């Protein structure tokens, strides 16, 4: 068997994507990112590690991880464990008429544990989505859209019925790194350096650098930049502030450096990003 079995489909000009992945070797995302859509990550078998914003969590068979728009995140394998999953990525425009379902996703947790009965229901819907995208029968895109809506409603029912608090299995080291990530998220406007953060948490710079990378799969400097760019995207979308002012507000001292990092992280410039977001708003209103 191949080390990585992949089945992938795209609908509606990339507003919807679904992938089946059966991973038989260690895998780590070779890039870090955030995106403007939702990602529903269902584990069929094995175990995966997720670092989302400032949260570290493990997901195994029967777990569903929900990544929200513009969440900074990275996934990787857990040593000694294969990982089979189905991943659905979609922009909310794909289900634009489903206001209640979107409202649920906005307030949904990062991870949902499904019972055996719920797992069977979830897997049936997800495999039906894969089949529709593969076979492409009459109205398959609309049928897939309805299946997605059904899947989200099922998740909302699960949340209403499931009040079990999951035991915290993180190690002391992992908890400390999560504290550091939370600190970065709250203080990204500051002139954060490796030395500054190490001093705040009474650890050495070498330990901080090594351990942060081991736990989160991010470099410290890379994570700081991603948090800053995520916040810059929010300000570009939701305010009319000048780009030079936004750059300063999120922790950049030089506009040229801000533009360079923004382009590297998002594959577009701040100006073009704002223009794209404004066009989408106008299209929704028309």
């Amino acid at each position: 068997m191949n080390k990585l079995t992949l089945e992938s489909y795209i609908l509606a000009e990339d507003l919807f994507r679904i992938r089946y992945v059966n991973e038989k070797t260690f895998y780590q995302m070779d890039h870090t990112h955030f995106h403007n859509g939702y990602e529903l990550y269902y584990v069929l078998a094995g175990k995966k590690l997720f670092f989302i914003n400032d949260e570290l969590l493990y997901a195994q068979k029967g777990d569903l991880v929900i990544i929200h728009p513009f969440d900074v995140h990275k996934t990787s394998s857990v040593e000694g464990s294969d990982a089979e999953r189905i991943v659905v990525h979609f922009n909310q425009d794909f289900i634009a008429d489903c206001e209640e379902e979107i409202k649920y996703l906005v307030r949904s947790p990062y991870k949902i544990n499904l019972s055996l009965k719920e797992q069977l229901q979830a897997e049936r819907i997800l495999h039906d989505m894969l089949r529709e995208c593969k076979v492409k029968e009459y109205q398959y895109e609309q049928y897939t859209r309805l299946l997605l809506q059904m899947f989200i409603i099922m998740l909302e029912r699960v949340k209403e019925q499931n009040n079990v608090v999951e035991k915290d299995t993180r190690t002391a080291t992992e908890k400390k790194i999560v504290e550091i990530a939370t600190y970065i998220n709250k203080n990204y406007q500051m002139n954060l350096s490796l030395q500054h953060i190490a001093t705040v948490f009474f650890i050495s710079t070498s330990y901080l650098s090594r351990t942060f990378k081991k736990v989160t799969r991010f470099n410290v400097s890379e994570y700081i930049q991603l948090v800053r760019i995520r916040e810059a995207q929010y300000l570009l979308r939701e305010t009319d502030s000048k780009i030079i002012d936004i750059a300063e507000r999120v922790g950049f001292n030089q506009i040229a450096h801000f533009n360079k990092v923004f382009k590297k992280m998002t594959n577009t410039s701040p100006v073009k990003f704002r223009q794209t977001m404004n066009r989408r708003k106008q299209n929704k209103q028309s």
Side-chain angles (χ1 to χ4, degrees), residues 12-73:
E13 298 181 346
D14 210 22
L15 288 179
F16 175 92
R17 280 182 281 135
I18 186 168
R19 293 180 294 135
Y20 164 79
V21 183
N22 191 0
E23 178 186 304
K24 296 294 182 180
T25 187
F26 182 85
Y27 172 79
Q28 178 176 309
M29 285 172 57
D30 56 5
H31 61 288
T32 57
H33 67 278
F34 36 71
H35 35 65
N36 63 358
Y38 288 91
E39 196 166 75
L40 309 178
Y41 199 112
Y42 180 76
V43 183
L44 292 162
K47 197 173 185 180
K48 291 290 289 185
L49 173 68
F50 292 81
F51 188 78
I52 308 172
N53 292 328
D54 57 355
E55 290 289 330
L56 179 73
L57 55 92
Y58 291 91
Q60 57 191 355
K61 175 174 171 51
D63 287 339
L64 179 89
V65 174
I66 302 175
I67 299 172
H68 302 78
F70 302 102
D71 279 347
V72 176
H73 62 280

Side-chain angles (χ1 to χ4, degrees), residues 57-60 63 111-113 163-169:
L57 55 92
Y58 291 91
Q60 57 191 355
D63 287 339
K111 188 173 81 168
I112 298 174
N113 308 106
N163 296 313
V164 178
V165 178
E166 186 177 4
K167 183 180 179 181
D168 189 351
T169 59

Side-chain angles (χ1 to χ4, degrees), residues 38-42 62-67 88 90 101 104-105 107-114 118-119 121-123 125-126 129 147-162:
Y38 288 91
E39 196 166 75
L40 309 178
Y41 199 112
Y42 180 76
D63 287 339
L64 179 89
V65 174
I66 302 175
I67 299 172
V88 176
F90 66 95
E101 287 73 23
Y104 163 71
L105 287 174
R107 62 181 187 271
S108 64
Y110 288 139
K111 188 173 81 168
I112 298 174
N113 308 106
L114 303 183
E118 292 159 352
Q119 289 175 39
Q121 185 179 4
E123 290 170 22
I125 296 172
L126 290 169
M129 284 189 204
L147 286 169
L148 176 59
Q149 183 181 1
M150 186 188 306
F151 189 79
I152 297 170
I153 291 171
M154 183 208 74
L155 296 180
E156 189 163 11
R157 289 180 176 179
V158 169
K159 183 174 180 292
E160 292 299 321
Q161 298 169 8
N162 187 359

Side-chain angles (χ1 to χ4, degrees), residues 236-253:
L236 288 166
R237 291 194 318 271
E238 304 299 333
T239 75
D240 295 323
S241 299
K242 294 180 180 179
I243 291 176
I244 190 170
D245 293 335
I246 289 174
E248 185 176 350
R249 284 176 63 180
V250 300
F252 288 91
N253 296 322

